[in-house]
Amino acid sequence: MNENLHTLRCFGCGARIAGQEASPDFRCAQCGDLFEVEYAGWGQRQGHNRPNPGALKWLWRERRCSSEALDQSGVWRFRELLPILDNFGNAVSLLEGNTPLYKLKRAAKALGIDQLFAKHQGMNPTGSFKDTGMTAALSVARERGFEWVACASTGNTSAAMAAYAARAGLRSLVLIPEGKIAWGKLSQAMDYGAVTCQLKSDFDGCVRVLTQIVKESPIYLLNSVNPYRLEGQKTPAFEIAEAFDWTVPDHLIVPGGNLANSSALGKGFRELRELGLVARMPRISVIQAEGANPLARSFAENNGERMEPVEAHTRATAIRIGNPASWRKAARTIKETGGWCLDVSEAEIAIAKAELGTEGLGCEPASAVTLAGLKKLRAQGKVTPSETVVLLLTGHTLKDADYTINFHRGTLLGDDEVAGHQAEIAALQRNAVVVDATPSAVLAALKGLAG
Ligand code: F0G
């Protein structure tokens, strides 16, 4: 029904192929670059395939009250803008998306910004934004008859893939860097029945091994080089635009790892604009960790034209990636929207995460780079007080509870990292205290705090 609506267009050389013709590693046979999903007729104002903006806005809102499973998904609710399946009955859903948009009052006040929000993608079924992409790409795998799916991951992709594969009755293979992912994520892959291989390598090494495997076996690759992942991951852009009544915020700030998510959100806003649902795109900025910052370096050195891989080190393990696959797509989004790409230090990440905590919002360290980045942008005068800013929080705080506990115990950061931030950190630390099991001991502890 829908297959004829989409083609894959190479981001590098512009070659177009049918979805079924993609090679197992989703690289262009001509130039080796990545593909993007493209829909015929959307570009032309009178095209017969061009959806009607007013009708769509009404339909998507109506679906929020529907009892149909597909309508209750915050991804498939927007299915007119992701016609990637022959039959939507093949969609594998855990009722992902429809995540909350929270107002951040304390951080806004501290930064002197009127309107600051957090779109919390960690509130998805497996606790990260990956669910929105996984429901899309895994549904394609099921429709195309694959029995096995696989990914290399820093943890969240593998948790999402394992869950959706289990729902669909498919087998899943996970390659993760040994000792470098948070326990919460590893436990999820195990629980959802994935075959989990911990490789004595980093994320980039896991990608290299998996790329060989999928070329030799009938296993469907679910890393974000798979362009269908991005079709699901663009839908938070639709939710954000809808929440702002089809105006868009001035600025969206996104963490950067393998750099697919920033480009997916850019694609989402670009399509809304092309279809006449919104008038403009927000500025989209990408924030990396200082020790895993190849794109930030590239922007500083050559305005995002060339990127040198780095050996990645950061406690924000989700974004511990030195050779991001989708960097060209992300660079386009940043330049097209007038955004920036910056990096932030380990201490800045930890402080920002704890500050979000004081507003009742938990998130993964990788998500907290957004607030840390906003602080830098504000200090550099790149964000003005009247702008509406949205931070994209990508993962749930319980994914990496060790990180949080170590921060509050004072064992997370080294002395050199803490230097210059001691007072800020001390004011945020809330270590648990051990006291006798008597009311007076607890009350004494309270007095101690008050003092
Ligand atoms: N935040 C979290 C919590 C992540 O898990 C990731 C990526 C990112 C941000 C960065 O997104 O790669 O699209 O730039 N995690 C991947 C994984 C790589 O395997 O779970 P990106």
Side-chain angles (χ1 to χ4, degrees):
M1 168 175 92
N2 284 304
E3 177 66 20
N4 57 357
L5 272 184
H6 90 269
T7 46
L8 300 182
R9 182 176 182 280
C10 173
F11 190 78
C13 69
R16 286 192 175 79
I17 60 170
Q20 302 276 10
E21 288 167 9
S23 62
D25 65 352
F26 292 104
R27 293 274 172 186
C28 174
Q30 320 265 350
C31 73
D33 213 327
L34 301 178
F35 287 99
E36 274 192 324
V37 177
E38 194 181 59
Y39 302 102
W42 285 13
Q44 300 137 28
R45 287 213 165 268
Q46 304 306 327
H48 67 283
N49 285 331
R50 194 179 155 85
N52 174 318
L56 285 179
K57 289 176 187 174
W58 178 86
L59 180 65
W60 295 337
R61 201 177 51 232
E62 286 298 298
R63 282 185 183 147
R64 296 178 77 167
C65 307
S66 160
S67 54
E68 290 290 321
L70 215 53
D71 293 345
Q72 288 179 2
S73 158
V75 171
W76 298 107
R77 179 159 79 86
F78 300 103
R79 54 192 174 271
E80 287 72 19
L81 297 198
L82 54 151
I84 53 176
L85 298 175
D86 287 344
N87 178 355
F88 284 121
N90 287 324
V92 184
S93 173
L94 281 164
L95 306 188
E96 53 289 318
N98 292 326
T99 53
L101 182 73
Y102 297 113
K103 198 156 189 187
L104 294 177
K105 291 192 184 148
R106 282 195 197 190
K109 195 164 171 228
L111 286 165
I113 299 174
D114 288 345
Q115 303 287 331
L116 177 60
F117 298 86
K119 174 74 174 161
H120 206 328
Q121 291 297 98
M123 299 301 193
N124 269 295
T126 77
S128 88
F129 73 103
K130 304 287 181 178
D131 292 345
T132 56
M134 207 46 78
T135 184
L138 194 128
S139 300
V140 172
R142 170 154 95 171
E143 188 166 271
R144 296 198 182 157
F146 282 88
E147 287 171 16
W148 277 88
V149 291
C151 70
S153 179
T154 57
N156 280 325
T157 301
S158 49
M161 181 188 76
Y164 282 83
R167 293 296 290 178
L170 306 187
R171 301 296 314 277
S172 63
L173 168 68
V174 163
L175 302 191
I176 48 172
E178 191 197 10
K180 291 169 198 147
I181 80 166
W183 290 121
K185 305 174 189 182
L186 179 60
S187 71
Q188 286 179 292
M190 293 174 173
D191 227 15
Y192 305 140
V195 175
T196 304
C197 299
Q198 307 190 71
L199 304 196
K200 293 187 190 313
S201 181
D202 56 8
F203 170 80
D204 303 294
C206 293
V207 169
R208 281 194 295 276
V209 171
L210 188 58
T211 305
Q212 282 308 316
I213 292 176
V214 295
K215 284 182 186 164
E216 289 163 23
S217 341
I219 300 180
Y220 192 71
L221 180 64
L222 281 174
N223 272 84
S224 55
V225 292
N226 180 323
Y228 300 111
R229 281 265 313 274
L230 276 60
E231 290 310 286
Q233 283 177 215
K234 75 186 180 186
T235 57
F238 307 162
E239 289 184 11
I240 292 170
E242 187 183 53
F244 286 94
D245 203 15
W246 304 103
T247 58
V248 294
D250 297 300
H251 201 153
L252 176 65
I253 304 183
V254 187
N258 216 15
L259 295 171
N261 201 35
S262 37
S263 32
L265 293 163
K267 187 173 194 282
F269 281 112
R270 190 177 309 115
E271 288 177 353
L272 289 183
R273 190 194 54 195
E274 279 167 10
L275 291 170
L277 281 110
V278 299
R280 62 182 176 89
M281 293 173 74
R283 208 187 273 286
I284 298 181
S285 292
V286 174
I287 314 296
Q288 298 194 296
E290 230 170 51
N293 63 353
L295 192 69
R297 280 185 193 212
S298 150
F299 267 85
E301 285 162 17
N302 56 58
N303 193 33
E305 292 299 310
R306 295 174 305 284
M307 191 205 72
E308 286 296 323
V310 302
E311 197 184 305
H313 297 283
T314 169
R315 293 183 189 82
T317 50
I319 51 173
R320 193 178 199 271
I321 296 174
N323 190 13
S326 297
W327 75 270
R328 279 199 190 83
K329 290 185 182 179
R332 173 185 66 176
T333 295
I334 294 167
K335 287 190 211 176
E336 174 184 15
T337 63
W340 292 279
C341 184
L342 298 184
D343 57 12
V344 289
S345 72
E346 294 292 300
E348 288 168 332
I349 297 171
I351 290 167
K353 183 173 136 45
E355 285 172 343
L356 287 164
T358 66
E359 302 216 32
L361 292 186
C363 66
E364 274 195 52
S367 310
V369 300
T370 53
L371 178 58
L374 171 62
K375 289 198 232 171
K376 271 199 166 169
L377 289 169
R378 182 80 184 102
Q380 294 171 1
K382 288 174 174 150
V383 173
T384 57
S386 62
E387 282 177 49
T388 303
V389 181
V390 176
L391 308 179
L392 197 95
L393 304 185
T394 43
H396 198 283
T397 186
L398 295 178
K399 291 271 191 176
D400 195 354
D402 285 348
Y403 181 102
T404 312
I405 290 174
N406 289 336
F407 173 80
H408 290 286
R409 285 187 178 156
T411 54
L412 182 74
L413 301 164
D415 290 345
D416 50 332
E417 294 169 311
V418 170
H421 297 286
Q422 286 96 337
E424 257 178 303
I425 291 176
L428 288 162
Q429 277 167 336
R430 293 281 179 273
N431 195 13
V433 288
V434 180
V435 295
D436 286 341
T438 62
S440 56
V442 175
L443 289 171
L446 271 185
K447 269 201 195 121
L449 275 184

